[in-house]
């Protein structure tokens, strides 16, 4: 049961992080700066932005 709750909690954190990345990107911050500010690897930041672009296409 705890494992399921941990996965749900992690998914919630991932969604919140994605929302933050997208908001910063929409404000014009460079991806490198976003990654640095939220202490996340640049490739993860790029993945979030690319996924959003595909959904909007």
């Amino acid at each position: 049961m705890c494992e399921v709750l941990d996965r749900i909690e992690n998914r919630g954190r991932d969604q919140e992080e994605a929302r933050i990345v997208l908001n910063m990107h929409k404000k014009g911050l460079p991806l490198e700066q976003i990654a640095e500010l939220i202490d996340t690897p640049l490739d993860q930041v790029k993945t979030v932005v690319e996924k959003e672009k595909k959904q909007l296409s």
Side-chain angles (χ1 to χ4, degrees):
M1 182 70 168
C2 288
E3 192 175 311
V4 172
L5 293 176
D6 287 342
R7 279 188 276 164
I8 291 169
E9 187 176 292
N10 287 339
R11 189 176 310 135
R13 270 191 240 125
D14 290 345
Q15 290 173 342
E16 179 66 11
E17 185 175 285
R19 186 185 67 77
I20 291 168
V21 165
L22 294 172
N23 284 339
M24 293 173 124
H25 183 65
K26 288 174 186 174
K27 297 281 185 185
L29 273 80
L31 299 182
E32 294 81 4
Q33 188 174 10
I34 295 170
E36 183 181 332
L37 289 170
I38 64 170
D39 195 30
T40 300
L42 179 58
D43 62 326
Q44 281 184 283
V45 171
K46 287 180 179 179
T47 299
V48 169
V49 172
E50 289 169 4
K51 185 177 178 182
E52 177 71 7
K53 285 181 181 179
K54 284 181 184 178
Q55 288 181 349
L56 295 176
S57 297

